Amino acid sequence: FMNHIVIMAGGVGSRFWPMSTPEYPKQFVDVLGTGKTMIQMTVERFAPLCPPQNIWVVTSREYVPIVREQLPQIPSDNILPEPAMRNTAPCIAYACWKIAARHPDANIVVTPSDALVTDSEEFRRIALKALAFTAADRRIVTLGIRPTRPETGYGYIKTGELVAGEVCKVDSFREKPVLEVARQYLAEGGYLWNAGIFVWNVSTIVESIRRYVPDLAEKMDRMSESFNTPSEASTVAE
């Protein structure tokens, strides 16, 4: 199995207060009343794509006990505790450097822990398509959602030319717009909501971080010398 799933679960869920609190943010809460928390639903959604030992969770150090309790099927070595919140790039880099050390050919989906997906089957079809596309060449895919309303809470992707099937080039990424601009996007067409879900081969992302964020790559190379040793936690904290 070359497919790996990286779940980003470090957020404090501040926009969901009071249901979501810093001690127990929304990814660990049964928000929809289904009997399952958001992170449990995320793992369940990806379960047909890879075995539990290929699922990784990057989370805040204080949430590790909650992750262990809610996802007992995931090896505890696959739960990567962050000593501080440093946004998405370091979180992704930490997981991908860890995976690269053991699985240099891995194809990876990086997903937030709290995405709402109502049609899991269609979602998996798209994810598998993206995995096949990124496995074949040095490509990075981001998933877009067809907008149903002029939403101002999401970033948008302006789509470019079609490359293969449903895969198209990204013309540009647009920040969360004001309502008037969001209406314009919908009227114009060719804009998707940015789902914040990425697909790539591990060598592609490592190479891209080396090229575009060399400072981060250098830190990861230093950190990776301690991976799977007793000094990993203190090196990562430093």
Side-chain angles (χ1 to χ4, degrees):
F1 267 89
M2 306 239 299
N3 294 346
H4 288 250
I5 311 299
V6 172
I7 299 170
M8 300 182 286
V12 292
S14 54
R15 285 187 294 185
F16 251 65
W17 188 88
M19 181 188 266
S20 170
T21 64
E23 296 75 39
Y24 232 89
K26 68 177 184 293
Q27 59 269 32
F28 305 122
V29 177
D30 177 6
V31 172
L32 301 172
T34 60
K36 294 189 181 93
T37 66
M38 300 297 275
I39 197 167
Q40 286 172 329
M41 289 170 77
T42 300
V43 168
E44 197 174 80
R45 188 179 311 133
F46 283 104
L49 269 57
C50 69
Q53 63 265 29
N54 286 19
I55 295 178
W56 304 75
V57 178
V58 188
T59 191
S60 170
R61 200 160 43 191
E62 70 224 58
Y63 301 147
V64 170
I66 308 177
V67 176
R68 283 200 176 129
E69 182 195 329
Q70 294 196 1
L71 303 173
Q73 71 274 45
I74 290 178
S76 52
D77 283 357
N78 286 24
I79 301 169
L80 309 183
E82 288 188 302
M85 288 175 74
R86 290 289 180 262
N87 289 331
T88 312
C91 162
I92 287 172
Y94 184 17
C96 289
W97 254 255
K98 280 281 278 197
I99 293 170
R102 289 192 211 165
H103 311 276
D105 301 321
N107 296 312
I108 302 172
V109 179
V110 177
T111 177
S113 53
D114 55 2
L116 171 64
V117 176
T118 48
D119 188 344
S120 292
E121 216 160 291
E122 171 66 358
F123 178 82
R124 281 191 291 270
R125 182 186 75 79
I126 294 291
L128 282 166
K129 207 162 193 177
L131 281 161
F133 186 76
T134 54
D137 204 354
R138 297 201 170 284
R139 296 149 161 163
I140 290 176
V141 168
T142 183
L143 299 196
I145 304 167
R146 277 195 200 94
T148 52
R149 59 182 186 274
E151 177 60 59
T152 58
Y154 301 141
Y156 286 70
I157 302 166
K158 186 178 186 339
T159 58
E161 63 178 290
L162 213 56
V163 182
E166 293 153 284
V167 183
C168 53
K169 282 195 170 167
V170 171
D171 184 76
S172 59
F173 291 98
R174 306 288 173 93
E175 286 301 322
K176 294 170 184 172
V178 295
L179 186 60
E180 199 34 60
V181 174
R183 286 199 179 117
Q184 218 174 303
Y185 289 168
L186 259 69
E188 205 179 302
Y191 284 88
L192 301 172
W193 287 336
N194 189 345
I197 296 172
F198 307 102
V199 188
W200 44 52
N201 182 274
V202 71
S203 60
T204 305
I205 191 62
V206 168
E207 192 180 281
S208 296
I209 291 172
R210 285 199 194 292
R211 183 182 305 175
Y212 299 108
V213 203
D215 181 44
L216 176 60
E218 193 188 316
K219 288 186 176 76
M220 286 298 153
D221 287 341
R222 279 218 323 273
M223 272 166 56
S224 65
E225 289 169 21
S226 72
F227 287 172
N228 309 313
T229 73
S231 63
E232 178 169 350
S234 60
T235 306
V236 171
E238 183 200 323

